[in-house]
Amino acid sequence: MGELLDVVVAGAHGGAGTSTLAALLPAAWDVGVVRATPDADRCPVQAKGRPVVLAVRNTAAAARSATAAVGVLRQGGEGIAALAIVSDGGPESRDAAARFALLGWQVGGVVRVPYVRALRLVDDPAEVVLPGKARAAVDGLRGLVAGGGRGWRG
């Protein structure tokens, strides 16, 4: 898959595909789910200047969670290099697509990661030979975290 990237992968909710993306990139930091903390002075994710990839499923409920997670990260001063919308195998609803479109200007880029059945069948996602569209999505994420995003730091 390539060398280890100094990138933070966080999920907007449980089951977002965070660990799978971290293995496919491969990312140095899988920080789990972004949750608001009672301590409003501290962001729950401390990326320390590293690019952040926020993973989210392609459902309306997940899009609501992504909206909240983007707000928490931005309020905490963290830039988001990429919003990775990971397909659950079903179509993306119009409500989800509308929310994701509104989030697009707040992140370096939006990448839709297609459903890959083989990823559900292995212990290590890095073992899967990805189909072309999935490989292109992972390459798109790599490009955004390498600095190709639209000003994700600010």
Side-chain angles (χ1 to χ4, degrees), residues 46-112:
Q46 299 291 307
K48 299 185 188 231
R50 295 176 184 93
V52 175
V53 173
L54 183 63
V56 59
R57 288 292 180 185
N58 65 336
T59 66
R64 281 191 303 275
S65 295
T67 301
V70 167
V72 166
L73 290 169
R74 287 180 55 90
Q75 183 176 357
E78 297 294 343
I80 303 164
L83 179 66
I85 303 169
V86 182
S87 177
D88 65 357
E92 186 174 299
S93 72
R94 287 190 323 196
D95 288 346
R99 285 182 188 268
F100 293 139
L102 291 172
L103 290 175
W105 69 271
Q106 298 180 63
V107 300
V110 176
V111 175
R112 283 176 168 78

